[in-house]
Amino acid sequence: MGVGTTQLYDKTVVYNHKRHGEFQLGNRKFAFRVKPRFPKSLSKEFLVVDLANNVDQLAEAKDEVLKRVAERAAETDQKRLRHAIRHTEASAPRSSLNAR
């Protein structure tokens, strides 16, 4: 995405409607997260909003990542970005990213 995140994590996050928790399947670790809403196919706009909402889980400096996320958000389709922001779950910290 070009926001300067360089850390590698040893698990894959899976959004779904039923399961929550960490599971090992074969040699891979998966972190299942229950999300009430997420798109069937990922868009750049959804990923930008999701990254902004989950920046606290990253090892990188939060302020630097958010600055680059805001720059990327300005380059995306603004209508689709507003849609992605509106359709994230209500408890997400939307203040991290403002749609223009």
Side-chain angles (χ1 to χ4, degrees):
M1 288 187 57
V3 295
T5 54
T6 58
Q7 298 292 324
L8 296 177
Y9 299 90
D10 66 342
K11 62 184 166 190
T12 302
V13 176
V14 178
Y15 289 163
N16 71 97
H17 297 292
K18 292 183 181 184
R19 310 262 185 266
H20 184 78
E22 300 205 5
F23 302 94
Q24 178 130 3
L25 302 171
N27 292 332
R28 297 196 58 193
K29 293 180 187 174
F30 295 88
F32 282 75
R33 303 286 181 254
V34 174
K35 294 277 186 181
R37 296 184 205 166
F38 54 88
K40 290 184 184 210
S41 60
L42 299 179
S43 67
K44 185 179 359 179
E45 293 79 12
F46 172 80
L47 293 173
V48 166
V49 173
D50 191 58
L51 179 58
N53 288 339
N54 293 294
V55 73
D56 291 334
Q57 297 177 22
L58 300 177
E60 287 85 4
K62 178 180 176 179
D63 293 337
E64 289 298 316
V65 172
L66 286 176
K67 178 182 170 189
R68 290 187 298 269
V69 166
E71 291 168 0
R72 281 287 175 239
E75 298 169 1
T76 63
D77 180 311
Q78 296 301 296
K79 183 177 178 182
R80 290 179 66 175
L81 181 64
R82 283 190 298 275
H83 182 268
I85 291 170
R86 276 195 310 270
H87 289 91
T88 57
E89 59 185 292
S91 63
R94 292 186 196 169
S95 61
S96 297
L97 182 64
N98 293 321
R100 296 179 183 160

